[in-house]
Amino acid sequence: TDRLSEFGVDSSRLEQHPREPTGLTVSVSTREDRAFFSYYGANESLPRVLRQPATRKALAEASHVHFACAPDGEADLPLIRALSRTVKISIDVQSHMSWLTRPSSLNILRNCHMFFPNEQEAEWISYETGTSQILHALRDKGIRGVGLKLGGKGAALLWRRRQFLADIFPVDTVDTTGAGDCFNAGFIFASLRGYPAQR
C-alpha cells in the first residue's frame, strides 16, 4: 500500500486477506495467441466483499467504478443497478467466454455505462463479426457504451447510439499483455477529466 500511495493512490479502503496472498496471473504470449494462468488468492473473497453493506456504501461514494472481472450475474446485479443511479460504471470481463455467452450477462452490461471488450470478446457476446455489425448488435441488445479494442486496427466506440472509429498510434510492438487494461485506464481517466467520449 505504501508503493501505491507514492503514486497518489488512496489505498485506505484496500481489503487484505489474513491468509491468502494477492492473486497472481502469468501470461504466456506468442505472436499468434496468448494464454493466462491465474491463482486467484485473495480475489476469491471478492464476491463476498462486494455484497457487504460497507462495500456498497464505499463504492457509492466513488465517481467511477470499474469492474476488471466478470461479476456474478444475478448475485451482483442489484449492486450494479443501485450504483449505476449515481456512479459511472465500466466493465471488462477479460476473455471470460462462458460469461460473455451467457444471456443473463446482458442484464449486467445494460446497467453499465461502458463495456470494454476486445474484438474476440465482442464477437462472443454479439454473435457477429465485423466492427460495425458488432456495435449494431450490442446497441440492439441495450448496451449503452462500448469501447471496442481492435488491436492493430485501432479502436471503435459506440456512444449515444452512434459509432466512431479511431486509428492506431504506430508503435513497435514487443508484448501486448496489459494493453487492454491501459486502454481502459486511459479512457476512464479522460472521462473523469470531462473529455467527450469521442476524444
Side-chain angles (χ1 to χ4, degrees):
T1 61
D2 291 340
R3 189 84 173 117
L4 289 172
S5 63
E6 288 175 21
F7 291 94
V9 177
D10 178 1
S11 60
S12 62
R13 291 182 170 156
L14 188 66
E15 294 276 339
Q16 293 188 332
H17 196 286
R19 294 175 305 282
E20 285 287 347
T22 298
L24 174 71
T25 296
V26 175
S27 171
V28 179
S29 301
T30 68
R31 288 224 174 261
E32 293 76 37
D33 203 359
R34 62 185 181 168
F36 296 104
F37 300 92
S38 296
Y39 171 72
Y40 289 123
N43 290 335
E44 287 283 359
S45 300
L46 182 61
R48 178 185 53 77
V49 171
L50 282 176
R51 292 181 189 104
Q52 293 173 351
T55 301
R56 182 177 289 210
K57 183 175 183 294
L59 292 174
E61 293 171 6
S63 299
H64 190 108
V65 174
H66 178 68
F67 289 88
C69 59
D72 183 356
E74 295 309 312
D76 290 332
L77 183 57
L79 168 68
I80 290 172
R81 262 197 192 127
L83 287 175
S84 70
R85 294 184 192 113
T86 56
V87 173
K88 297 280 188 225
I89 299 175
S90 59
I91 185 168
D92 184 339
V93 299
Q94 312 285 337
S95 296
H96 198 310
M97 184 180 183
S98 62
W99 194 93
L100 288 161
T101 55
R102 190 179 312 139
S104 63
S105 297
L106 287 170
N107 294 329
I108 293 274
L109 294 174
R110 288 181 187 122
N111 283 278
C112 294
H113 297 87
M114 185 61 66
F115 172 41
F116 291 116
N118 63 32
E119 193 170 20
Q120 177 65 74
E121 295 159 354
E123 288 176 1
W124 288 334
I125 195 162
S126 69
Y127 297 98
E128 290 287 351
T129 58
T131 303
S132 185
Q133 294 88 335
I134 287 170
L135 293 179
H136 271 108
L138 294 177
R139 181 197 66 200
D140 291 346
K141 290 175 185 290
I143 299 174
R144 292 184 268 181
V146 179
L148 180 58
K149 297 169 280 192
L150 301 170
K153 296 183 286 184
L157 173 70
L158 171 67
W159 187 250
R160 296 187 176 162
R161 304 185 64 80
R162 294 178 60 205
Q163 293 184 26
F164 304 89
L165 293 173
D167 290 331
I168 61 166
F169 291 97
V171 295
D172 293 327
T173 305
V174 176
D175 184 348
T176 60
T177 305
D181 295 312
C182 291
F183 179 96
N184 301 346
F187 193 101
I188 293 165
F189 176 82
S191 174
L192 290 170
R193 288 287 175 100
Y195 296 171
Q198 301 94 296
R199 180 177 177 190

